[in-house]
Amino acid sequence: MRATTIHAPGDIRLEERPAPTITAPHQAVVKVLAGCICGSDLWPYRGENPIDAGATIGHECVGVIEEVGADVRSFRPGDFVIVPFVHCDNTCPHCAAGMTSACRHQGFTSSGQAEYSLVHQADGSLVKTDGMPDDSLIPSLLTLSDVMATGWHAAVAAGVTEGSTAVVVGDGAVGLCGVLAAVELGAERVVAMSRHEPRQKIAEQFGATHIVAERGEEGEQAVLDLTDGVGADAVLECVGNDPAIQTAFKVARPGSTVGFVGVPHGIELPVRRMFGKNIGLAGGMAPVRTYLPDLLDRVLSGRIDPGLVFDLTLPLDEVADGYRAMDERRAIKVLLRP
Amino acid sequence: MRATTIHAPGDIRLEERPAPTITAPHQAVVKVLAGCICGSDLWPYRGENPIDAGATIGHECVGVIEEVGADVRSFRPGDFVIVPFVHCDNTCPHCAAGMTSACRHQGFTSSGQAEYSLVHQADGSLVKTDGMPDDSLIPSLLTLSDVMATGWHAAVAAGVTEGSTAVVVGDGAVGLCGVLAAVELGAERVVAMSRHEPRQKIAEQFGATHIVAERGEEGEQAVLDLTDGVGADAVLECVGNDPAIQTAFKVARPGSTVGFVGVPHGIELPVRRMFGKNIGLAGGMAPVRTYLPDLLDRVLSGRIDPGLVFDLTLPLDEVADGYRAMDERRAIKVLLRP
């Protein structure tokens, strides 16, 4: 099959690789209809994460079941499925508590930017639609594989409630989905911290009530001014680097929680501020499967359209261009069609 | 008046100081009936915090109103009051949200180990009893000034719920009060990590169902074994140093929260574990006033007896001996009678 591989920073290739095969009875092989590039794929692309040269890359996809292992009960070839980037059995104690991303049989999608992908715990992980969805829904369904569920997790972890003021730090696709999640969870005011006009527009389409374009101290002051100096009731940290973390804790009101979902890179938590102001930190790798049924309902009913985060669609053959476009911030998020 | 002062590490004195006087209309002066030594007083005593040589020390007390400022409406001389260590107006936005320790008019008790103490926001901060309480209640009432409310905050921040398994890291007076709080909040299993027999006994009196005497990896494994490898639903970190923090995050189940109330000293938060396992951190300086009415009810009704944490009572004149006893762990917590 054709699969995206990474060889070194900046070196993304589409190469021939053996298609995955079933090696355990609870697995399934999915023929990928759409995959995409994640902000977290840019860490190795930029040389900020170690690289296993020649390994496949890509952890988000939707597609059609190609083959299932002997123990798979709920799916059969031809089913359209959303593949959470983190696989789970959905029965272990962690899954039962809703923390499916910490499943005892945790697995990961490893060839989402390819023609086929292997799912380790098919019954526990996958969610299917009734029949083939309309092609126009593919982008939004694809976001449920990671980015929309991750933005949702940020909002849940931050404790967004009805009538609250939420601030979203980061205007990548996750941050934009965080805006949408905060709106859906009832926030009355949603402040998107974004200095890029195309992203500001999507944030507004998703329901952001305020845009703060300034960064650093200026941006923090702007948020404090918006909240009479009190700070936000909930802060979604959707980047993962230190400036974003510091801003998140600066704009969070005492007693609130920063929900973080950006894989942390070189961050130093302001522990004395956290203690003195009682500002908590919650979140982490999103339990995608936990949120999937609810999010799928919202997409299928037309209530949310998170697929708007895709502003560039490329054939899989042009995946390297897709990485460049995201790296250079010419694209928010790139959808790939095998 | 006689007041406890600190001059250098290990140098605690009882000296003559001017009694506090009203300098603003919302203040009150309290004649101290009982004060005590806090674990956090040991930080400067041990030279681990900067010292303002000759300054008074002590932030916990109960007593009788001596004098009130012109704007004080709810209290008058003779009222028996509990003095939260952190003062608040109880009306600002942070107070209204329950985060009274972040009040915009925040103040602190600064001569709790003395004959008199000044309260900056008397109406917002103090809570009185109907008439003079029985002398036998003084120790428990005194704990509401800080230690019991702080243990309570750890349990609330950690999200202890009915039927849960809670682990308390730290067997100082705060940790012991944390055990009591977790029991009161409905935890079915409360694991006290303690290797000191007298403290283990109080933990059991407070309702601990399990004692883990081991420390470090052994102690962590013991907790994991108790929970079938899952980890605790809620962890109360009641020390504030790095080993305690690391243990807290090791024994917390994915998706749970570590409630921390020990003033952090040299801790490094395990951010990658927090992210990968979705283990949150919440807590900080306890909003004592917020919890006071409820805790006072529990004490007055005889439901809880947190005063058991005082295992040594000394006249104020012997305060220096009290510090030594706590520093050498001969006493859990020392009550001082002026």
Side-chain angles (χ1 to χ4, degrees):
Chain A
M1 68 169 180
R2 289 171 303 140
T4 304
T5 56
I6 184 164
H7 292 257
D11 185 358
I12 290 286
R13 305 180 195 170
L14 192 73
E15 299 185 306
E16 275 300 317
R17 284 284 185 277
T21 52
I22 304 283
T23 58
H26 40 71
Q27 295 173 340
V29 173
V30 171
K31 180 174 161 64
V32 176
L33 295 187
C36 54
I37 304 171
C38 181
S40 68
D41 294 330
L42 296 181
W43 290 109
Y45 185 78
R46 290 170 173 164
E48 297 179 65
N49 271 11
I51 289 169
D52 178 13
T56 57
I57 186 168
H59 55 267
E60 298 164 277
C61 66
V62 293
V64 168
I65 298 276
E66 178 80 9
E67 190 188 352
V68 295
D71 288 353
V72 175
R73 294 278 167 272
S74 308
F75 300 94
R76 55 184 184 177
D79 286 344
F80 178 90
V81 291
I82 296 150
V83 185
F85 79 91
V86 51
H87 312 162
C88 57
D89 62 22
N90 220 355
T91 58
C92 84
H94 302 317
C95 287
M99 200 35 71
T100 46
S101 49
C103 175
R104 285 183 169 174
H105 295 109
Q106 184 193 57
F108 292 94
T109 300
S110 61
S111 61
Q113 298 157 7
E115 289 184 278
Y116 295 93
S117 197
L118 184 69
V119 184
H120 294 283
Q121 297 284 335
D123 276 338
S125 306
L126 298 170
V127 170
K128 67 183 170 189
T129 53
D130 289 338
M132 276 297 289
D134 189 83
D135 201 60
S136 65
L137 284 172
I138 295 291
S140 284
L141 295 172
L142 176 58
T143 66
L144 306 189
S145 162
D146 179 351
V147 61
M148 180 63 214
T150 293
W152 193 265
H153 189 48
V156 169
V160 174
T161 54
E162 201 73 38
S164 61
T165 294
V167 171
V168 181
V169 182
D171 63 0
V174 171
L176 295 172
C177 288
V179 167
L180 183 52
V183 171
E184 285 292 295
L185 289 168
E188 190 178 303
R189 295 198 296 176
V190 178
V191 183
M193 299 191 77
S194 168
R195 56 175 176 176
H196 301 86
E197 212 179 312
R199 293 160 193 243
Q200 294 173 351
K201 285 208 172 117
I202 295 176
E204 283 169 343
Q205 281 180 278
F206 282 170
T209 55
H210 299 74
I211 303 287
V212 167
E214 298 88 347
R215 289 195 160 192
E217 276 182 37
E218 256 187 293
E220 290 152 21
Q221 193 55 51
V223 172
L224 291 174
D225 289 346
L226 275 173
T227 56
D228 295 326
V230 171
D233 302 314
V235 180
L236 290 65
E237 194 287 293
C238 301
V239 182
N241 65 18
D242 199 56
I245 279 282
Q246 302 309 327
T247 290
F249 281 101
K250 288 275 178 54
V251 301
R253 70 181 292 163
S256 71
T257 303
V258 172
F260 80 140
V261 292
V263 184
H265 279 76
I267 71 175
E268 194 164 329
L269 293 173
V271 66
R272 294 199 78 91
R273 180 175 181 82
M274 293 169 73
F275 186 88
K277 300 286 182 191
N278 270 273
I279 303 171
L281 180 68
M285 188 164 59
V288 179
R289 178 57 179 83
T290 309
Y291 300 134
L292 243 178
D294 174 35
L295 293 178
L296 180 59
D297 281 349
R298 290 176 199 253
V299 166
L300 293 178
S301 69
R303 192 176 159 81
I304 61 172
D305 188 9
L308 287 171
V309 296
F310 294 110
D311 56 348
L312 180 60
T313 296
L314 294 175
L316 181 58
D317 290 342
E318 294 172 29
V319 60
D321 289 335
Y323 273 80
R324 270 189 292 276
M326 277 180 64
D327 180 43
E328 294 163 8
R329 293 179 77 88
R330 286 184 283 113
I332 300 171
K333 193 166 175 77
V334 175
L335 189 150
L336 300 165
R337 293 278 195 168
Chain B
M1 68 169 180
R2 291 171 303 139
T4 304
T5 55
I6 183 164
H7 292 257
D11 184 358
I12 290 286
R13 304 179 198 171
L14 193 73
E15 299 186 306
E16 274 301 318
R17 284 285 186 275
T21 52
I22 303 282
T23 58
H26 40 72
Q27 294 174 341
V29 173
V30 171
K31 180 175 162 62
V32 175
L33 295 186
C36 54
I37 304 172
C38 181
S40 69
D41 294 330
L42 295 182
W43 290 110
Y45 185 78
R46 290 171 173 163
E48 297 179 64
N49 272 12
I51 290 169
D52 177 14
T56 58
I57 186 169
H59 55 266
E60 298 163 277
C61 66
V62 295
V64 168
I65 297 278
E66 178 79 8
E67 190 189 352
V68 295
D71 288 352
V72 175
R73 294 280 169 270
S74 309
F75 301 94
R76 53 183 189 182
D79 285 342
F80 178 91
V81 291
I82 296 150
V83 185
F85 78 92
V86 52
H87 311 164
C88 56
D89 61 23
N90 220 357
T91 59
C92 84
H94 302 318
C95 288
M99 200 35 70
T100 47
S101 49
C103 177
R104 284 184 171 173
H105 295 108
Q106 183 194 58
F108 292 94
T109 300
S110 61
S111 62
Q113 298 158 6
E115 289 184 278
Y116 294 93
S117 196
L118 184 69
V119 183
H120 294 282
Q121 298 285 333
D123 275 337
S125 306
L126 298 169
V127 170
K128 67 183 170 189
T129 53
D130 290 337
M132 276 298 289
D134 190 85
D135 201 60
S136 65
L137 283 173
I138 296 290
S140 284
L141 294 173
L142 175 58
T143 65
L144 306 189
S145 161
D146 179 352
V147 61
M148 181 62 212
T150 293
W152 193 265
H153 189 48
V156 169
V160 173
T161 54
E162 199 75 38
S164 61
T165 294
V167 171
V168 181
V169 182
D171 63 0
V174 172
L176 296 172
C177 288
V179 167
L180 182 52
V183 170
E184 285 292 294
L185 289 169
E188 189 177 305
R189 297 198 296 178
V190 178
V191 183
M193 300 190 77
S194 168
R195 55 177 179 177
H196 301 86
E197 211 178 312
R199 295 161 192 244
Q200 293 172 353
K201 284 207 173 118
I202 295 175
E204 282 169 345
Q205 280 179 277
F206 281 170
T209 55
H210 299 75
I211 302 286
V212 167
E214 298 89 345
R215 286 197 163 193
E217 275 182 36
E218 257 186 294
E220 290 153 19
Q221 191 56 51
V223 173
L224 290 175
D225 289 348
L226 275 172
T227 55
D228 296 326
V230 170
D233 302 314
V235 179
L236 289 65
E237 194 286 293
C238 301
V239 182
N241 65 17
D242 200 57
I245 278 281
Q246 301 310 327
T247 290
F249 281 101
K250 287 274 178 55
V251 302
R253 71 181 291 164
S256 72
T257 303
V258 171
F260 79 140
V261 293
V263 185
H265 278 76
I267 71 174
E268 194 163 328
L269 293 173
V271 65
R272 293 199 76 91
R273 180 176 179 82
M274 293 169 74
F275 186 89
K277 300 285 182 193
N278 271 274
I279 303 171
L281 180 69
M285 188 164 59
V288 178
R289 178 59 179 81
T290 310
Y291 301 133
L292 242 178
D294 174 36
L295 294 178
L296 180 59
D297 281 349
R298 290 175 199 254
V299 165
L300 293 177
S301 68
R303 190 175 160 83
I304 61 172
D305 188 9
L308 288 171
V309 296
F310 293 109
D311 56 348
L312 180 61
T313 296
L314 295 174
L316 182 58
D317 290 342
E318 294 173 30
V319 59
D321 289 336
Y323 272 82
R324 269 189 292 277
M326 276 180 64
D327 179 43
E328 295 163 6
R329 295 180 76 88
R330 285 184 284 111
I332 299 172
K333 193 168 174 77
V334 176
L335 189 149
L336 300 165
R337 293 277 196 172

